[in-house]
């Protein structure tokens, strides 16, 4: 029996149902707000990527991709160079995640950096339209989020970076849409998700480049898994719910029908891309709330770091993995450290890219304050997690006062930025990375919207404008 025959016998397989949704998706089915959100997530990813162009990591990845496969198919963003689609997507995805400034879905994944680079690489090579790219991005967020949210909490509890593990699901869905795979072929590509990586948090804690590949590698898998399926080499459509399948391997303990109900409920009505959060600060998403809390307390009370005796952060138990108090000598370490981020915000009155450069990482005042940051579990916040995520910041002042602030991450799904607010993050990044004129050209593109340029001519032109020597 062929793989195709096997798939036909399981029309209700979850991956088959999701693939049918991806195939049938049309622009007419999308609310205007969903189309507008696509513009925002692409804009945010460009800004996150441009913030690291020209750095050590970018240059190493450019060398890798140009050596591995220099076939001129898709742009290495911010350069005039093209390489093969898989290498371009891997490199652009890793760079999109390096700054820890990209969007995501809570207990879902970083679907933008995990899938948009592969979608755009294939679109550039294949000549896909703007409409197809918009639909592919929506499909990527939808499929990735619907599967990841089923197991993400359990992965997080075991110290596994669930966006890195689950990101390829989004990339496969988006790439499959661009490649126009039929339902059974796309389900077979999703079936290759048996090969999803285990992504422990350890590389982030020690500052290794591997952490950035947690978004680069999903793009690589998305392109290769869909290409394998297109060639007729298929995975099992029933992989997710099957006996000893993916969900079971990742900790799911319910019945297959319960899994299907959760994975498919509200499909075509509730849009995952509408539930994205955006980052106000270039650090791990889980640290956004305590950073906001300490900045609010310091600013509203006119405090200097010398006024503060101790800082205590309270939250859900999992946050303890970020509160080791170990010294941070590399940017990635700092972006994953509760102690460092809170201390840097208290000392500098801000938390931007400058707070993770070598001068800040070596700042003795930040280092000293970070040793006075403590973490504790709050029973109420623990009980609310993951349905609601918040932290409490308590400042003990040297004059005996105690100040307290409870915060959720800014720019969460319940309070997303509009284009003008997001431009306040985007434009300073772009003006630093390139000329004011080029930054303005980028903003103009997003103000018009991707669909205003049916063949994405302007987008691909801007992507290959060189911003580094």
């Amino acid at each position: 029996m062929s793989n195709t025959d096997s798939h036909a016998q399981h029309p209700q397989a979850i991956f088959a149902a999701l693939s049918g949704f991806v195939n049938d998706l049309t622009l007419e089915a999308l609310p205007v707000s969903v189309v507008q959100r696509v513009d925002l997530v692409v804009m945010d990813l460009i800004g996150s990527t441009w913030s690291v162009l020209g750095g050590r990591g970018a240059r190493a990845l450019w060398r890798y991709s140009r050596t591995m496969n220099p076939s001129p198919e898709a742009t290495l963003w911010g350069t005039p160079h093209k390489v093969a689609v898989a290498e371009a997507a891997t490199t652009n995805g890793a760079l999109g995640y390096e700054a820890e400034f990209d969007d995501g879905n809570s207990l879902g994944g970083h679907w933008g950096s995990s899938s948009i680079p592969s979608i755009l690489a294939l679109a550039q090579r294949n000549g896909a339209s703007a409409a197809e790219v918009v639909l592919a991005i929506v499909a990527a967020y939808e499929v990735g989020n619907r599967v990841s949210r089923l197991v993400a909490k359990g992965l997080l509890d075991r110290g596994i970076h669930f966006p890195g593990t689950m990101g390829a699901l989004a990339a496969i869905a988006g790439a499959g849409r661009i490649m126009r795979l039929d339902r059974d072929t796309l389900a077979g590509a999703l079936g290759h998700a048996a090969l999803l990586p285990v992504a422990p948090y350890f590389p982030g804690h020690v500052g290794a480049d591997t952490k950035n590949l947690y978004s680069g590698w999903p793009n690589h898998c998305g392109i290769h898994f869909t290409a394998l399926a297109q060639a007729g080499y298929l995975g099992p459509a029933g992989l997710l719910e099957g006996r000893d399948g993916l969900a079971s391997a990742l900790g799911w303990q319910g019945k297959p029908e319960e899994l299907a109900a959760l994975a498919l409920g509200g499909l075509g009505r509730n849009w995952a891309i509408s539930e994205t959060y955006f980052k106000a600060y270039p650090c791990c998403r889980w640290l956004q709330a305590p950073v906001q809390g300490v900045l609010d307390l310091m600013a509203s009370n006119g405090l200097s770091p010398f006024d503060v005796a101790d800082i205590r952060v309270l939250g859900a138990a999992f946050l303890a993995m970020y509160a080791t108090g170990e010294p941070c000598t590399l940017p990635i370490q700092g972006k994953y450290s509760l102690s460092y981020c809170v201390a840097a915000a208290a000392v500098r009155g801000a938390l931007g890219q400058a707070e993770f450069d070598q001068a800040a990482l070596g700042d003795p005042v930040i280092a000293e304050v970070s040793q006075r940051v403590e973490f504790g579990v709050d029973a109420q916040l623990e009980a609310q997690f993951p349905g609601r995520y918040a932290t409490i910041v308590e400042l003990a002042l040297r004059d005996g006062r105690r100040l307290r602030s409870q915060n959720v991450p800014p720019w969460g799904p319940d309070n997303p930025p509009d284009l003008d607010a997001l431009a306040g993050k985007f434009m300073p990044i772009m003006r630093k990375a390139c000329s004011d004129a080029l930054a303005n050209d980028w903003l103009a593109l997003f103000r018009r919207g991707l669909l205003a340029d049916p063949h994405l001519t302007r987008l691909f032109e801007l992507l290959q404008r060189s911003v580094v020597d």
Side-chain angles (χ1 to χ4, degrees):
M1 180 184 296
S2 71
N3 279 333
T4 301
D5 291 337
S6 175
H7 293 166
Q9 293 183 14
H10 299 280
Q12 299 305 312
I14 295 172
F15 282 166
L18 291 171
S19 297
F21 165 80
V22 171
N23 266 207
D24 296 340
L25 193 59
T26 64
L27 278 180
E28 291 72 25
L30 301 182
V32 172
S33 60
V34 168
V35 176
Q36 292 172 338
R37 182 59 62 90
V38 172
D39 292 323
L40 292 188
V41 298
V42 176
M43 174 178 165
D44 197 57
L45 179 61
I46 295 299
S48 183
T49 306
W50 258 243
S51 70
V52 301
L53 291 188
R56 182 197 60 80
R59 294 184 184 279
L61 285 166
W62 292 336
R63 287 193 297 273
Y64 147 79
S65 56
R66 296 177 71 185
T67 301
M68 183 62 67
N69 194 337
S71 299
E73 296 177 335
T75 298
L76 294 171
W77 295 353
T79 83
H81 305 296
K82 290 183 178 180
V83 295
V85 288
E87 283 67 36
T90 302
T91 293
N92 296 332
L95 294 178
Y97 186 42
E98 180 178 327
E100 281 288 338
F101 224 177
D102 55 321
D103 77 282
N105 282 61
S106 184
L107 287 180
H110 294 291
W111 309 127
S113 56
S114 293
S115 67
I116 292 175
S118 54
I119 291 168
L120 291 182
L122 288 168
Q124 186 174 17
R125 185 192 69 180
N126 297 0
S129 68
E132 283 298 302
V133 166
V134 168
L135 291 170
I137 292 172
V138 173
Y141 277 70
E142 200 66 32
V143 172
N145 207 59
R146 284 179 171 274
V147 179
S148 180
R149 68 185 184 184
L150 303 172
V151 295
K153 177 59 167 59
L155 295 178
L156 184 65
D157 288 343
R158 297 199 300 278
I160 296 174
H161 185 266
F162 55 88
T165 295
M166 308 302 286
L169 290 161
I172 295 167
R177 176 70 197 212
I178 291 293
M179 294 172 68
R180 301 179 182 176
L181 301 186
D182 61 43
R183 187 199 73 163
D184 289 344
T185 305
L186 179 54
L190 287 166
H192 289 315
L195 301 171
L196 295 180
V198 176
Y201 269 91
F202 180 75
H205 295 320
V206 299
D209 293 331
T210 304
K211 169 262 170 190
N212 302 325
L213 288 171
Y214 285 3
S215 278
W217 193 247
N219 284 283
H220 184 95
C221 292
I223 287 176
H224 281 286
F225 290 174
T226 50
L228 283 165
Q230 188 177 48
Y233 204 75
L234 306 175
L239 173 72
L240 185 62
E241 68 272 26
R243 180 172 61 87
D244 297 328
L246 182 63
S248 175
L250 296 179
W252 171 263
Q253 297 179 348
K255 297 178 181 179
E257 55 269 27
E258 295 170 337
L259 189 75
L262 289 171
L264 303 175
L267 189 62
R269 298 191 305 274
N270 305 325
W271 301 96
I273 199 167
S274 297
E275 300 170 2
T276 51
Y277 63 78
F278 296 87
K279 289 184 177 179
Y281 310 108
C283 64
C284 177
R285 189 259 175 170
W286 303 113
L287 306 183
Q288 305 276 312
V291 166
Q292 186 68 56
V294 76
L295 287 173
D296 286 349
L297 288 174
M298 298 292 290
S300 61
N301 292 277
L303 301 175
S304 80
F306 304 104
D307 297 318
V308 179
D310 292 294
I311 303 174
R312 183 168 172 80
V313 177
L314 302 171
F318 87 97
L319 200 58
M321 76 167 69
Y322 300 95
T324 63
E326 296 175 359
C328 298
T329 59
L330 298 170
I332 295 175
Q333 289 177 300
K335 291 167 185 281
Y336 271 77
S337 169
L338 172 69
S339 303
Y340 180 84
C341 287
V342 167
V347 172
R348 297 287 190 91
L351 195 73
Q353 286 290 80
E355 278 62 58
F356 298 97
D357 63 20
Q358 288 304 312
L361 291 166
D363 186 329
V365 179
I366 295 177
E368 193 277 328
V369 173
S370 70
Q371 296 303 305
R372 294 189 271 114
V373 177
E374 297 181 354
F375 172 73
V377 176
D378 180 88
Q380 184 175 1
L381 297 180
E382 170 68 13
Q384 294 172 351
F385 184 79
R388 181 177 185 274
Y389 173 68
T391 60
I392 295 168
V393 174
E394 296 179 341
L395 300 186
L397 304 186
R398 297 190 186 280
D399 63 8
R401 289 181 293 158
R402 301 190 69 87
L403 305 176
R404 179 183 172 99
S405 177
Q406 181 167 324
N407 297 81
V408 297
W411 287 356
D414 296 331
N415 185 36
D418 60 16
L419 191 144
D420 287 334
L422 198 60
K425 166 186 171 180
F426 178 78
M427 289 302 284
I429 292 172
M430 301 303 284
R431 286 182 175 130
K432 183 177 180 180
C434 54
S435 67
D436 285 357
L438 183 51
N440 289 331
D441 286 346
W442 271 112
L443 185 59
L445 180 145
F446 292 116
R447 288 199 183 281
R448 288 192 299 270
L450 295 178
L451 292 177
D453 183 5
H455 302 293
L456 296 176
T457 304
R458 185 61 165 162
L459 172 66
F460 291 122
E461 177 192 339
L462 292 176
L463 285 174
Q464 62 188 11
R465 291 265 197 98
S466 181
V467 299
V468 293
D469 55 25

